Amino acid sequence: MDARSVDRQFGELLRQHRMRRGATQRQLADLSTISVRAIRDLEAGRASRPRRDTVRLIAEGLRLSGRELTSFEAAALRARGGVEIDLVPDLDAVPPPSALDALVGRGAEVTALLDLLSEGGSRLVAVTGLPGVGKTRLAVEVAGRLHESGSVRVLWDTAGANPAGAAGRLRLLVRSALGRAEDGEGLDPLAALIGDRELLLVLDGHDAGWPDPDRALTLLHRCRRLRLLRTTREPLDIPGERVLALPPLPGEDAVRLLTRLAGQVSPGVATRSADALVELADRLDGLPGALEAAASWLLVHRPEELLELVRADPLGVTADRLPDLRGALAQALAAVGGERAVLDAAGGAWTVPDAARLTGVPPVACAHLVRRLRLLGLVRPVGHDRFRVLNLARAATAALLPVGLPLAGVRDS
C-alpha cells in the first residue's frame, strides 16, 4: 500500500471519529487546539506523517480511550511510515509536583505512608478520604521525599489534567495499560517502561473504580520493584491492597491551619477572634479543604459573622472551594446500610462499645460498621478509641431528609 493510501486511511478514521461525536472540523479544532486547516488536511489525506503531539491532542479532543485510542494511534503510526511514535516519557521528566505550602500536622500519616511504601512494605497502597481531606497533599509530601532522596524514582499522573510532553505521554500509557481489559491491550509499553526499576507510580485523584484491579495486579506482577500509590475516595478492595483512611486534622492542628490561613487573608485576625476560629475549625471538622474555603470568606466577614453562617449551613460555606464535597457526602450516605444506625444514634464523642449499646448491634458487628464509616469518611477519630460523626455529614444528612423530619438520636456535640 502506498503512502497516500495510508494517509487517506488515517484521515478517514479521523473523520469517522469526529462525525460519531457530532463535531464539526471547527469544533474539533477548538477542542484539540489544532488548526482547522490541519484537521481538514489530515482528513483529506493531504498531510503525511502526522506529528505525535498532534495525534495526542486530537485523540484528547475526541475523548478517545481504550481500544479506540489504541487503533487511532496505530493508524497514525502507519501514516508515519511505520516509524514508532515515541510515547515513552523520560523517566526523569514526570516527578511529583512541588508543594506550594508547608504541611500542617500529618506527621504520623507521613511516617505511616513512608513505612507502607518502604522496601519490604506494601506495593499497592490507597490513601482514601473525602474531597478536601488532603489526600493529594499527603501524597505530594511523601512522593517528594522519596524523589529527593534518590532511593525511588517517582512517576506522577493526575486525573482530569491534560498534560503535555512527557506527562502527556505517561498519561496515554497509564490509561491504556490500566483500563478495563476490553478497552485496550496497552499493558506491554508501560511494563516495558518500568521494567525492573525501583519505581513509585502515583495515580492521583482517579475514580474509585479505577484502575482495573486485574490489570493493576498484572502490572505489579510483571514489574516486581514497582509500587503503586493511589489517592481516591474508596479502595479497590483487592488482595494485597493496604489502605490509609486519611482523617481530618485533629483539633490543635486544625486550629493552627485555620489560624495561618486566616492571618494570610486578614492579618491580626487570630488575636482578635481566637475563640471564633477555634469553633470554626471544630464545626468544619478539621477538614483542610473546608478550612481553606472558610478562610477565603474572611475577605468579607469577621470570624464571628462567618461562624453564624457555618452554624446555619457549613456545606454552603464550602461550596465554592469544594464543589464535590456535598455530592461525595450524599454518595457516602447512600452507601451505608446498617451503619446508618450508628450515624443516627451516636452524638458527641463515643467509643465502639458506646455505639453498640445505643444501637443494640453486637460489639463485633458494630466495630465492622464503624470501620465502614471510617473508610467512607463519615466519622473521624477524636482520640485513641473514640470517634465522632462529622458535622458536615450531619448537615448533608439533614439536607437529604424531608422538611420537618428530625434526625433520630443525633445530638449536637
Side-chain angles (χ1 to χ4, degrees), residues 63-298:
R63 297 184 180 179
L64 300 182
S65 61
R67 192 177 301 279
E68 286 185 338
L69 177 61
T70 302
S71 299
F72 190 71
E73 291 171 351
L77 173 61
R78 290 191 295 272
R80 286 175 58 85
V83 178
E84 182 179 0
I85 298 176
D86 179 18
L87 293 177
V88 179
D90 178 355
L91 285 180
D92 293 324
V94 200
S98 299
L100 299 179
D101 55 6
L103 187 64
V104 174
R106 299 302 194 202
E109 289 86 352
V110 168
T111 300
L113 191 52
L114 284 170
D115 184 61
L116 279 171
L117 294 171
S118 65
E119 187 173 356
S122 178
R123 296 177 57 219
L124 179 60
V125 179
V127 178
T128 67
L130 290 172
V133 77
K135 303 182 292 295
T136 295
R137 183 63 184 85
L138 177 64
V140 165
E141 187 74 18
V142 169
R145 293 189 187 190
L146 292 173
H147 176 71
E148 290 172 5
S149 72
S151 59
V152 178
R153 189 164 293 184
V154 178
L155 294 180
W156 186 282
D157 179 59
T158 298
N162 289 310
R169 296 193 292 275
L170 175 66
R171 163 62 55 82
L172 291 174
L173 288 177
V174 169
R175 185 167 54 189
S176 180
L178 297 179
R180 296 188 305 274
E182 62 269 23
D183 283 346
E185 300 175 357
L187 191 62
D188 288 347
L190 184 60
L193 168 68
I194 296 168
D196 62 352
R197 295 179 177 90
E198 190 82 9
L199 192 142
L200 172 66
L201 175 59
V202 183
L203 304 178
D204 176 42
H206 289 275
D207 293 337
W210 196 92
D212 176 76
D214 291 337
R215 306 204 95 190
L217 290 175
T218 299
L219 181 65
L220 289 168
H221 177 73
R222 292 179 58 177
C223 304
R224 298 291 182 146
R225 301 175 70 192
L226 169 67
R227 295 161 223 177
L228 194 59
L229 172 63
R230 303 168 55 244
T231 66
T232 183
R233 292 184 189 174
E234 295 185 45
L236 289 173
D237 286 332
I238 58 178
E241 183 184 40
R242 298 292 179 265
V243 179
L244 194 161
L246 190 62
L249 289 170
E252 290 185 3
D253 288 337
V255 172
R256 186 154 58 97
L257 176 59
L258 181 58
T259 300
R260 187 181 77 181
L261 294 168
Q264 293 168 352
V265 175
S266 178
V269 69
T271 302
R272 300 189 302 269
S273 303
D275 291 343
L277 293 178
V278 170
E279 186 175 344
L280 278 168
D282 181 64
R283 286 187 173 272
L284 293 173
D285 298 307
L287 197 74
L291 300 180
E292 291 180 10
S296 70
W297 284 80
L298 295 177

Side-chain angles (χ1 to χ4, degrees), residues 1 5 56 144 151 315 318 328 342 366 388:
M1 184 179 298
S5 298
R56 177 182 61 81
S151 59
L315 288 172
T318 65
V342 178
C366 192
R388 195 173 85 175

